[in-house]
Amino acid sequence: MNTVAVVGASLAGLSAARALRAQGYDRRLVLIGDETHRPYDRPPLSKEFLKGSMDEADLSLESDDEDLGIEWILGTRADGLDLGGRTVRLADGRGVRADGVVLATGSSARRLPGGEGLAGVHVLRTLEDARALRDDLARGGRLVVVGGGFVGAEVASTARQLGLDVTYVVSGPAPLAGPLGPAMAEALVGVHGDHGVRVLCGTGVRGVTGGERVDAVLLEDGRSIPADIVVAGIGATPGTDWLVGSGVELWNGVLCGADGTTNVPEVVAVGDCAAWYEPALGAHRRIEHWTGANERPAAAVAALLSGGTASIAPPRPPYFWSDQYGVRIQFAGHGAHADSVAIEDGSPDDRSFLAVYRRAGAPVAVLGVNRAKQFTRWRRQLATAVAGAGLV
């Protein structure tokens, strides 16, 4: 391959570029990003950056002495992929011809109905989003957070620490019920209440109201919640619209094997846009977490450089963490695969416990709340079990 193009300039794209160089690729490497920034770390956007304890320079994912020999094309999005001409088409009219392509275009935040163009209504995905939200939070007032995922929970925590009045609206039974399951999510609801956050569960949001600026959130059960600021953390859409009609197979993201390979030779996908096959589940799934974007590109690059002939170990079980109100929440594995979950040590009342998820008696996931050492041991066990299952 004389040229490899990495489309997407966030963590997954940078990790792919690093893996290419580490695995011996020494020719032309082009990294394309729709933002004007070089790759930056997103997890702090909902925590330290919002609080002002971290500035933009601290977010950089590149070290000062790192030189990967990358040709950077920033500030323009990919607009199409011409497989016949092996060309990535850009929105500004240019094209990048490449012998190999790494798709790492991430995802975009879903928005609340009626919030378009209304001041005070935010999503949190990019640095620009975080700047705007940080400025608004500095005004103080009443914040309504919508959505039961990690972004919503972390923003609620950060805003409360900044002194705002916070209401947290979740359509499911509890915040984090999706990733943790209802039982363990309900065990953690009290963490928000401990810090004065009102949590409203079991109702969706119909929309927002206001003139030039938002003044309320309308719930599906008929209630209206006054709001000066609204943050929507209601999920994300994979960045694959530019690939429609290209010939790359799509299904809630780019459909991939367990090594990131697609149905098209010399095209692999990584990060939030990629739906990898998960051997432990027997199904495809998008892993939208920092660790996956950091670790999995090495396997995809190995497959790309070998033409798909490399023996690739199964991906490690998904892992994520979240810091809320000083509580560290860690999770590894596939909780949705479990048929039971039990607290092995500690107590939710103490905001410190470890829970193990099992299927047919075998552990498939583990949750640690302020139990870092125990959690780390269990995470190793899960990884060993997956590795022992053999190569893909």
Side-chain angles (χ1 to χ4, degrees):
M1 293 183 182
N2 291 313
T3 300
V4 172
V6 179
V7 189
S10 193
L11 174 62
L14 179 61
S15 297
R18 286 170 171 160
L20 281 159
R21 293 308 192 206
Q23 295 181 31
Y25 179 77
D26 60 1
R27 299 188 180 183
R28 185 182 181 219
L29 177 55
V30 183
L31 205 152
I32 301 162
D34 59 353
E35 295 186 64
T36 57
H37 316 287
R38 295 277 278 260
Y40 59 88
D41 210 13
R42 295 185 192 273
L45 296 182
S46 58
K47 301 181 286 289
E48 296 90 347
F49 185 79
L50 277 191
K51 286 187 289 188
S53 60
M54 179 180 284
D55 61 26
E56 293 185 19
D58 297 323
L59 297 174
S60 176
L61 287 169
E62 300 171 273
S63 59
D64 292 338
D65 59 351
E66 184 172 30
D67 183 7
L68 297 173
I70 293 173
E71 179 183 327
W72 295 89
I73 300 178
L74 300 176
T76 186
R77 74 186 300 271
D79 198 35
L81 180 61
D82 177 5
L83 294 175
R86 288 290 173 183
T87 300
V88 179
R89 299 194 304 270
L90 305 182
D92 64 7
R94 288 181 289 173
V96 176
R97 194 190 182 288
D99 306 295
V101 178
V102 180
L103 306 175
T105 44
S107 58
S108 58
R110 296 190 180 105
R111 297 180 179 271
L112 286 172
E116 299 83 359
L118 199 59
V121 179
H122 299 267
V123 294
L124 183 55
R125 182 70 186 174
T126 67
L127 180 56
E128 282 74 17
D129 295 337
R131 288 171 178 162
L133 178 56
R134 186 176 62 178
D135 290 345
D136 243 5
L137 293 180
R139 300 159 54 104
R142 300 162 298 182
L143 169 69
V144 176
V145 178
V146 181
F150 287 101
V151 169
E154 291 173 356
V155 169
S157 169
T158 301
R160 193 70 192 108
Q161 293 175 61
L162 292 172
L164 280 79
D165 177 274
V166 180
T167 301
Y168 189 12
V169 180
V170 180
S171 60
L176 307 183
L180 304 185
M184 292 301 101
E186 288 173 8
L188 286 171
V189 171
V191 173
H192 297 280
D194 292 346
H195 296 83
V197 172
R198 293 181 298 278
V199 182
L200 306 179
C201 299
T203 183
V205 169
R206 188 153 49 91
V208 294
T209 63
E212 294 184 356
R213 185 175 185 87
V214 65
D215 58 26
V217 174
L218 303 179
L219 305 185
E220 289 180 347
D221 63 11
R223 284 179 290 177
S224 177
I225 310 299
D228 303 300
I229 309 167
V230 175
V231 177
I234 53 176
T237 302
T240 57
D241 57 317
W242 68 286
L243 293 169
V244 173
S246 68
V248 174
E249 191 172 2
L250 306 175
W251 177 84
N252 186 30
V254 179
L255 202 66
C256 299
D259 55 0
T261 52
T262 71
N263 65 308
V264 178
E266 285 77 53
V267 177
V268 298
V270 296
D272 289 7
C273 74
W276 280 37
Y277 180 76
E278 300 291 328
L281 294 178
H284 292 82
R285 182 181 171 191
R286 288 195 301 120
I287 304 296
E288 301 177 82
H289 305 304
W290 190 96
T291 307
N294 186 52
E295 294 178 349
R296 295 190 174 201
V301 163
L304 177 68
L305 295 178
S306 70
T309 63
S311 295
I312 309 295
R316 294 177 66 189
Y319 164 71
F320 57 81
W321 77 94
S322 180
D323 294 309
Q324 303 169 27
Y325 313 100
V327 174
R328 167 58 66 101
I329 300 169
Q330 295 172 283
F331 189 92
H334 294 282
H337 199 48
D339 54 29
S340 68
V341 57
I343 294 174
E344 303 277 316
D345 196 15
S347 169
D349 293 338
D350 298 328
R351 313 304 184 224
S352 176
F353 64 94
L354 184 128
V356 178
Y357 298 67
R358 292 181 169 86
R359 182 178 181 84
V364 293
V366 59
L367 166 67
V369 179
N370 282 343
R371 293 274 170 155
K373 289 184 179 179
Q374 287 175 288
F375 174 85
T376 300
R377 288 196 296 269
W378 272 98
R379 185 186 176 201
R380 287 198 201 104
Q381 291 181 42
L382 289 174
T384 300
V386 169
L391 299 179
V392 175

